[in-house]
């Protein structure tokens, strides 16, 4: 149609030869007319500047209209996030394959928004809204990466069993002896040889003396006789069964009782708990008080453990000052450092206080350099994003050893991971709530691995929710929570990440998975107590 609007004929006549020439260049595909455009290096697509007319109207005074059209449309299309562009290019009517199509149709408002750099962005009620084009790493993928890349670095030593709680075993432990080492009595009573007559009343003469724990009798008990025996005493030869005190009558010379129907009642077999030579604890385990009992019982006086991982804690921010010091109202007390230092101690590692660093690159750099000899790893808090004063991430980026992970977690924000002069650095967010959650979710298993521990997967329990919530898809959320008297999980009323009181109110976290979820009261949710992260 060469005359009357819309005049497309002129453009077609001029355009087809031009398109033909362009196509002969390199590896070019024409969208959406051929099937080849998806894997072409260059895709030729028709678009239309009218799509962004409102933005063009608001162009700077004096700029030529055509120039503004091209500049703004190019800008808008280049800023369009890949998934949105993909949707625009894929969701087409059938006729588009024959008649072609105009790239951008249906996205005029969005393109206008991107066309003008000074147009205020739409209000984000959610500070976690994805900036265009940014991919967030799911929590599990981030954890998998940490697990792949880290390895145990803590040294080895042996320590007395009594000092080994919270330490990590570096080799499997075998029982040096059986528990119990010999058959013994489980009660105070009278020992005898079971008569295999299936029970009934018996009266047996007592032999002289008794068998007590640690003080064996020594002699064989003749058939048809009984012996006074106490809990824990090794069974004398000739004794396979013990009758409980309360089930007997005695005159001092004889004992009368109803014989239990089965032999070996009230006795413990040698090795019935653990047999000698058996591996009873495996390398990578962090020892509990109960483990110490087991180690001791099975003959281990000294335990082969990893040296404690030395973990430094550095707070960054010009606004921070020591708790309890004189401070104007534009300063805040450093809340993260005492929290993180005590968490590290709780994880069986050695906390190293690296103090406070101002928001200056050289201050952060020198604090991290000082940590090189005193620490195996460092947790910093604050300054981990990409803002003007975010010197931790800037430093790590500069040193070339930075992996800034935008992890899809709330509360979270970017986690700066890197090494500084060989020391692994976990750059945690400054907000105490996010700092705690990221420490528990990421730093805990990662530091544990470096400390020689098995990879920690905190075990939650499913409990009914005592709250309702509409959760958006695309990230994992952790809510400060505790169990109420009914054992249901209630959550702190405010999700604001500056609300330290909520951290303290809570006894753990409710974990809501990556997808969208509508939680109603009574529905099961995963509750992870803070203790679940202890390991
Ligand atoms: P940043 O990650 O440095 O941007 O800090 C985020 C927020 O957390 C800011 O409001 C900081 O003042 C606050 N913040 C940073 N570090 C600490 C800390 N050690 N104790 C308490 N609040 C902090
Ligand atoms: Mg800061």
């Amino acid at each position: 149609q060469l005359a009357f609007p819309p005049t497309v004929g002129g453009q077609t006549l001029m355009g087809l030869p031009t398109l033909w020439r362009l196509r002969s260049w390199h590896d070019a595909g024409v969208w959406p007319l051929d099937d080849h455009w998806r894997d072409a290096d260059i895709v030729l697509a028709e678009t239309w500047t009218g799509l962004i007319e409102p933005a063009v109207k608001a162009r700077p005074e004096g700029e030529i209209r055509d120039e503004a059209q091209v500049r703004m449309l190019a800008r808008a299309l280049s800023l369009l996030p890949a998934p949105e562009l993909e949707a625009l290019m894929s969701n087409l009517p059938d006729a588009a394959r024959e008649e072609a199509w105009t790239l951008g149709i249906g996205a005029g408002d969005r393109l206008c928004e991107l066309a003008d750099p000074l147009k205020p962005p739409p209000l984000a009620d959610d500070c976690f809204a994805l900036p265009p084009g940014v991919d967030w790493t799911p929590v599990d993928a981030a954890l998998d990466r940490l697990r792949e890349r880290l390895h145990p670095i803590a040294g080895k030593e042996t320590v007395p069993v009594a000092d080994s709680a919270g330490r990590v075993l570096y080799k499997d432990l075998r029982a040096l002896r059986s528990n119990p080492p010999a058959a013994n009595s489980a009660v105070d009573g009278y020992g005898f040889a079971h008569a295999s007559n299936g029970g009934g009343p018996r009266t047996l003469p007592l032999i002289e003396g008794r068998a007590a724990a640690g003080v064996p009798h020594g002699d064989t008990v003749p058939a048809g006789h009984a012996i006074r025996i106490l809990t824990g005493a090794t069974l004398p030869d000739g004794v396979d069964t013990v009758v409980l005190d309360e089930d007997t009558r005695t005159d001092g010379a004889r004992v009368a009782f109803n014989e239990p129907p089965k032999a070996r009642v009230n006795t413990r077999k040698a090795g019935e708990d653990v047999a000698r030579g058996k591996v009873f604890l495996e390398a990578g385990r962090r020892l509990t008080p109960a483990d110490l009992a087991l180690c001791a019982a099975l003959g281990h006086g000294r335990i082969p453990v990893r040296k404690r991982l030395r973990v430094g804690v550095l707070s960054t921010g010009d606004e921070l000052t020591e708790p309890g010091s004189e401070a104007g109202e534009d300063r805040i007390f450093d809340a993260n450092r005492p929290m993180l230092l005590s968490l590290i101690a709780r994880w069986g590692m050695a906390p190293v206080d690296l103090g406070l660093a101002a928001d200056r690159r050289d201050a952060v750099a020198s604090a991290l350099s000082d940590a090189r000899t005193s620490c195996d790893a460092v947790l910093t808090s604050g300054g981990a994003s990409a803002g003007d004063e975010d010197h931790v991430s800037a430093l790590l980026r500069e040193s070339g050893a930075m992996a800034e992970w935008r992890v899809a977690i709330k509360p979270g924000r970017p986690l700066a991971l890197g090494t500084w002069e060989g020391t692994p650095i976990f750059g945690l967010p400054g907000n105490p709530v996010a700092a705690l959650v990221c420490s528990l979710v990421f730093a805990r298993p990662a530091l544990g691995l470096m400390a020689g521990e098995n990879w920690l997967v905190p075990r939650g329990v499913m409990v009914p929710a005592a709250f309702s919530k509409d959760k958006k898809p695309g990230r994992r959320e952790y809510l400060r929570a505790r169990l109420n008297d009914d054992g249901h999980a209630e959550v702190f009323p405010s999700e604001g990440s500056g609300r330290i009181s909520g951290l303290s109110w809570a006894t753990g976290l409710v974990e809501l998975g990556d997808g969208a979820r509508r939680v109603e009261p009574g529905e099961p949710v995963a509750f992870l107590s803070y203790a679940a992260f202890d390991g």
Side-chain angles (χ1 to χ4, degrees), residues 164-170 281-292 303 305-306 308 343-349 444 447-449 451-456 530-535:
S164 66
R167 306 295 295 271
V168 179
L169 272 185
Y170 78 80
L281 287 177
E282 289 179 3
R285 181 180 179 95
R286 210 155 73 83
L287 296 168
T288 65
D291 292 342
L292 269 49
I303 312 292
V305 293
R306 295 274 183 179
R308 289 184 197 276
L343 268 181
I344 288 162
R346 190 167 158 149
W347 299 338
M349 302 164 192
R444 170 67 186 97
L447 292 173
L449 188 65
E453 209 178 321
N454 295 328
W455 183 257
L456 176 82
Y530 288 148
F533 296 91
D534 286 353

Side-chain angles (χ1 to χ4, degrees), residues 315-316 319-320 332-337 381-384 390 429-432:
S315 294
T316 72
E319 73 278 34
L320 300 178
I332 61 172
F333 297 124
D334 180 1
N336 288 342
R337 205 155 30 109
S381 67
D390 289 325
N431 274 311

Side-chain angles (χ1 to χ4, degrees), residues 269-283:
K269 274 192 296 208
E272 72 173 21
D273 180 24
V274 182
R276 181 192 157 106
K278 183 179 157 126
V279 171
F280 66 93
L281 287 177
E282 289 179 3

Side-chain angles (χ1 to χ4, degrees), residues 115-426:
D116 180 355
L118 278 184
K119 186 174 164 52
L123 276 187
D125 59 345
D126 176 6
C127 71
F128 212 82
L130 303 192
V134 168
D135 289 326
W136 297 85
T137 310
V139 172
D140 286 337
L143 287 171
D144 285 348
R145 259 196 268 172
L146 283 173
R147 189 175 183 177
E148 264 161 40
R149 293 180 193 182
L150 296 171
H151 57 270
I153 54 172
K156 299 167 179 176
E157 61 182 337
T158 62
V159 297
V161 60
D163 299 337
S164 66
R167 306 295 295 271
V168 179
L169 272 185
Y170 78 80
K171 55 182 192 197
D172 294 352
L173 288 186
R174 286 181 188 280
L176 298 177
R177 56 148 47 178
S178 293
N179 181 47
N184 65 33
S185 177
V187 297
D188 289 350
Y190 296 88
F192 59 99
H194 197 269
S196 71
N197 60 3
R202 288 183 84 178
T203 302
L204 301 180
L206 285 170
I207 70 163
E208 197 66 20
R210 59 170 205 175
V215 192
H217 186 273
D219 295 343
T220 298
V221 177
H225 287 68
I227 183 174
R228 174 73 178 145
I229 191 165
L230 302 180
T231 307
T234 300
L235 299 185
D237 286 344
V239 170
D240 62 8
T241 303
V242 176
V243 58
L244 194 64
D245 263 351
E246 288 87 325
D247 296 334
T248 63
R249 294 279 182 278
T250 178
D251 59 6
R254 290 168 308 163
V255 60
F257 55 90
N258 279 310
E259 185 171 36
K262 280 202 193 135
R264 279 184 286 284
V265 170
N266 293 325
T267 68
R268 308 168 177 139
K269 274 192 296 208
E272 72 173 21
D273 180 24
V274 182
R276 181 192 157 106
K278 183 179 157 126
V279 171
F280 66 93
L281 287 177
E282 289 179 3
R285 181 180 179 95
R286 210 155 73 83
L287 296 168
T288 65
D291 292 342
L292 269 49
L294 188 60
C295 290
L298 299 178
H300 290 271
R302 294 187 70 83
I303 312 292
V305 293
R306 295 274 183 179
K307 291 194 170 146
R308 289 184 197 276
L309 191 77
R310 300 165 310 161
V311 183
V313 175
L314 177 69
S315 294
T316 72
D318 283 341
E319 73 278 34
L320 300 178
T321 179
E322 293 292 342
S325 62
E326 285 291 319
E329 284 179 355
D330 47 356
R331 310 294 298 278
I332 61 172
F333 297 124
D334 180 1
N336 288 342
R337 205 155 30 109
M339 171 174 75
L340 296 174
L341 287 167
S342 71
L343 268 181
I344 288 162
R346 190 167 158 149
W347 299 338
M349 302 164 192
V352 179
D353 189 349
L354 299 175
L356 278 171
D359 276 324
R360 284 196 336 261
R361 207 157 298 189
D362 59 340
V364 176
S366 83
L368 292 182
S369 295
D370 289 349
R372 196 184 44 203
T373 50
S374 58
C375 303
D376 300 310
V378 174
L379 302 184
T380 67
S381 67
S385 310
D388 299 349
E389 296 297 346
D390 289 325
H391 299 294
V392 174
S393 44
L395 258 189
L396 295 179
R397 203 174 296 117
E398 222 168 59
S399 76
M402 159 81 170
E404 188 193 9
W405 288 7
R406 294 168 182 276
V407 185
I409 180 174
K410 181 187 175 185
R413 317 248 50 180
L415 198 59
L417 297 169
T419 54
W420 180 254
E421 295 170 354
T423 310
I425 313 289
F426 290 78

